[in-house]
Amino acid sequence: MFCTVFCIHPRGYVKPVSNMADKLPARLSEVRLGQLPKWITSCSLAPKNVGAAFGRAHSKFVLKYVNVKRGSIAPVGMFIAVYIGVSYFWRYGETKHERNRVYHW
Amino acid sequence: MFRRVVCSTGALALRARPAYMARVSAAAMPSMTFHTSSKDLMPYKMPEEGGKVRLGFIPEEWFTFFYNKTGVTGPYMFGTGLILYLINKEIYVVSHELLHGALIIGLLVYGVKKFGPAYTAYADKTINDQIEQTYDVKNAQVDALQQSIDAEKKEQWRLDGRNMLFDARKENIAMQIETAYRERLHTVAADVKKKMDYHIEVENVKRRVQQEHMVEWIQKNVIQSITPQQEKENIAQCIRDLKTLSARA
């Protein structure tokens, strides 16, 4: 969905390249601990880049779990899990009233 | 399960759209990659197996990430602790929804485990049939082209044979020419010999005729020179010789 609007990725999607002048890498796993605050604050919140981030995540997921010859239950299972989690999260305000106990320690 | 269908249609849908059809907004990004390198022209091979998951939705990488520190049961302990914490503090409220969810998920798991392999076999067979059909078409074309190549090579080989045929004919004709030449040499020699024999014969005939003429003339003259008186004496002498001879014998 975001992928179609912001960039077409899969078909062997390449790794993201950092377009920053100084030595901050593009992946979180390659960032050193001291550079972490700088890395976090260096992300841009422009909708173009946010959409591009969604596109990258979607491409990564699709390349890993969908564009394979022998697929698994992973996409369906993850979809169901996220559905359950997000719907419970949105309904927590009402579910709070159905608690069985008042005090939890 | 629609994993095969998702697989094929997702891959097809994502692959069918070329890069230049992606721009919807005018403010599209400049980091678009047009497929210009030769690596993009190669057919893309999908990997065999996808990412592995445990329990259907937890990626395997999370388990291996903690393996060094906590061993095999680490993530399961973490999950159990998390669940117990959520239930204890009633962040997750146990209600009728839990029963609904458990039954539905149990039914789904049972359905997948029971009918999964059969559908997998059917989907694999369908896809493999399509692939085989495509390969059959390609192989048929390749075979037809190979046959035409072989036919062409054979025609070229035949032409080479024709060159040899020409050479043989040339040799034949050369031999005939040689034979005719030698025949004519023989004819010339025979004719020349004939002419020279003729001259020799002419000389021989001349000499013979001269000789015969001379002998006749000499005979004639000698016979003319014999007078009749000499002839009588000769005859008498011959008779006396004969008598003496008969007397002796």
Side-chain angles (χ1 to χ4, degrees), chain B residues 21-203:
Chain B
M21 270 169 65
R23 299 176 185 242
V24 177
S25 62
M29 51 198 6
S31 67
M32 275 278 285
T33 55
F34 290 103
H35 291 180
T36 50
S37 73
S38 58
K39 187 169 163 246
D40 287 323
L41 293 171
M42 289 294 291
Y44 174 66
K45 285 204 160 100
M46 291 206 290
E48 272 290 326
E49 296 272 347
K52 297 226 169 287
V53 286
R54 278 205 215 188
L55 292 177
F57 69 100
I58 308 173
E60 191 73 30
E61 286 84 18
W62 294 6
F63 285 79
T64 52
F65 184 64
F66 290 109
Y67 180 76
N68 286 337
K69 300 291 183 197
T70 60
V72 174
T73 56
Y76 292 113
M77 287 283 108
F78 170 71
T80 309
L82 186 68
I83 288 171
L84 289 177
Y85 165 74
L86 291 177
I87 293 177
N88 194 341
K89 298 292 181 195
E90 292 232 270
I91 297 173
Y92 179 75
V93 176
V94 171
S95 64
H96 58 285
E97 297 287 339
L98 180 63
L99 195 61
H100 294 173
L103 279 177
I104 289 173
I105 289 179
L107 209 61
L108 285 176
V109 167
Y110 171 74
V112 167
K113 287 230 186 287
K114 195 162 159 70
F115 302 111
Y119 182 77
T120 309
Y122 164 74
D124 280 346
K125 184 166 150 336
T126 312
I127 288 182
N128 284 340
D129 283 348
Q130 285 178 3
I131 288 174
E132 259 193 46
Q133 220 175 13
T134 317
Y135 272 118
D136 281 346
V137 165
K138 173 199 162 210
N139 284 342
Q141 284 184 353
V142 164
D143 283 344
L145 288 173
Q146 186 66 38
Q147 271 182 9
S148 66
I149 286 176
D150 290 343
E152 182 68 27
K153 285 232 163 84
K154 196 152 184 201
E155 284 299 313
Q156 287 177 358
W157 172 80
R158 281 203 189 125
L159 286 179
D160 284 345
R162 246 220 255 160
N163 285 344
M164 284 201 280
L165 192 66
F166 288 157
D167 287 344
R169 281 193 192 156
K170 272 188 210 163
E171 280 180 17
N172 249 358
I173 287 175
M175 213 182 296
Q176 284 177 6
I177 287 173
E178 185 79 17
T179 314
Y181 173 69
R182 288 198 187 169
E183 275 181 13
R184 285 177 193 177
L185 275 182
H186 281 303
T187 316
V188 162
D191 281 344
V192 164
K193 190 158 170 303
K194 262 199 248 176
K195 275 209 191 301
M196 297 175 80
D197 284 347
Y198 164 75
H199 285 302
I200 293 172
E201 280 302 316
V202 159
E203 289 294 315

Side-chain angles (χ1 to χ4, degrees), chain A residues 4-8 10-12 48 52 62-74 76-78 80-81 84 88 91-92 95 98-101 104-105, chain B residues 1-4 6-7 10-11 14 17 22 29 40 42-44 46-51 53 56-57 59 61 88-95 97 105 108 124:
Chain A
T4 65
V5 178
F6 286 92
C7 35
I8 296 265
R11 207 191 150 157
K48 180 172 89 164
V62 160
L63 275 175
K64 191 166 173 198
Y65 292 107
V66 176
N67 281 0
V68 293
K69 278 189 192 145
R70 299 183 48 82
S72 63
I73 199 69
V76 177
M78 286 186 190
I80 290 176
I84 291 172
Y88 188 82
R91 286 188 330 141
Y92 187 64
T95 322
E98 297 169 11
R99 282 183 180 170
N100 299 322
R101 300 281 185 274
H104 321 98
W105 54 354
Chain B
M1 275 316 181
F2 40 73
R3 59 184 179 277
R4 296 285 185 267
V6 164
C7 207
L14 285 167
R17 267 175 299 194
M29 51 198 6
D40 287 323
M42 289 294 291
Y44 174 66
M46 291 206 290
E48 272 290 326
E49 296 272 347
V53 286
F57 69 100
E61 286 84 18
N88 194 341
K89 298 292 181 195
E90 292 232 270
I91 297 173
Y92 179 75
V93 176
V94 171
S95 64
E97 297 287 339
I105 289 179
L108 285 176
D124 280 346

Side-chain angles (χ1 to χ4, degrees), chain A residues 83-98:
Chain A
Y83 179 86
I84 291 172
V86 168
S87 69
Y88 188 82
F89 182 78
W90 285 340
R91 286 188 330 141
Y92 187 64
E94 305 159 11
T95 322
K96 251 196 321 194
H97 305 307
E98 297 169 11

